[in-house]
Amino acid sequence: PNRRQSFSAAVSPGMRCHLYMHDSRGDGWQGAEWSGLGQDGLTLEDGFEKTFTFVVPHLPLQLTGPCSLTDGGSCAASPNYPSYYGYNAECTIYGVPLVGLEVVAFDVEADNNCRWDYLTVNGKKYCGSRGPEGVVVENGIIQWVSDSGVVKSGWKICWTQPPPPPSAPELPPSPPSVPPLPPPP
């Protein structure tokens, strides 16, 4: 019978995935399809098992709320940065690449538990003067929340791609081969 099942997995853009489809009962799963993460119609055509390998695509940068994307889309800032960020603001940045964040500025209301104004990266809240320096945004999402109390100058965070690794230095040319001397008579 035709039926749909949904499964979820925590993955990040750029991650290599292996999808293993297996008909454990041998009851005719042929033709089963899977779609998601930029892959459409991966089909178990014949036999009872198959593995598909693919890379999770990078999402385009998207922004909801009053925060801003700056520096050609390689940075984000709180509303009105570097002026006061304002009250009761919420925004979310989607599609942040898998690279360590660079905190250019971070000045938000401080609290030991970050209850009022905070930036969330990978489920961890940041507030006060310590931002997520060097943190890799594993799910591609940064969230900002401010309340109706204190306001500060806010934050600016960048995620520039790392430079390519340096190429190996060129080695000097090898000296010409010298044939071995003949054995003495």
Side-chain angles (χ1 to χ4, degrees):
N2 288 337
R3 66 177 194 197
R4 290 181 86 84
Q5 284 188 297
S6 296
F7 301 93
S8 63
V11 296
S12 301
M15 181 181 285
R16 181 181 251 7
C17 292
H18 303 283
L19 172 65
Y20 176 69
M21 296 173 72
H22 176 75
D23 177 8
S24 60
R25 294 184 186 175
D27 57 1
W29 231 39
Q30 288 94 344
E33 287 190 14
W34 184 86
S35 296
L37 301 172
Q39 310 300 308
D40 288 322
L42 300 180
T43 305
L44 185 61
E45 294 171 355
D46 56 357
F48 295 106
E49 63 184 349
K50 189 168 185 180
T51 301
F52 299 94
T53 301
F54 58 91
V55 175
V56 177
H58 286 274
L59 301 172
L61 277 172
Q62 295 179 338
L63 174 69
T64 64
C67 293
S68 59
L69 293 174
T70 66
D71 300 79
S74 63
C75 299
S78 56
N80 306 316
Y81 174 82
S83 299
Y84 292 141
Y85 45 76
Y87 302 110
N88 301 314
E90 291 187 21
C91 63
T92 304
I93 303 130
Y94 299 95
V96 178
L98 283 168
V99 294
L101 296 176
E102 175 192 352
V103 176
V104 176
F106 202 86
D107 182 26
V108 305
E109 184 177 8
D111 174 62
N112 288 340
N113 297 314
C114 295
R115 293 177 289 182
W116 302 305
D117 300 350
Y118 53 88
L119 191 74
T120 304
V121 179
N122 299 334
K124 181 177 179 183
K125 293 179 180 179
Y126 295 86
C127 62
S129 60
R130 295 193 58 192
E133 180 68 39
V135 173
V136 174
V137 185
E138 304 204 359
N139 63 359
I141 299 172
I142 296 175
Q143 294 177 297
W144 165 249
V145 173
S146 68
D147 70 354
S148 60
V150 176
V151 292
K152 299 270 190 158
S153 61
W155 51 267
K156 179 177 179 180
I157 294 176
C158 298
W159 49 79
T160 54
Q161 294 285 352
S167 57
E170 283 193 36
L171 298 174
S174 299
S177 302
V178 176
L181 294 173

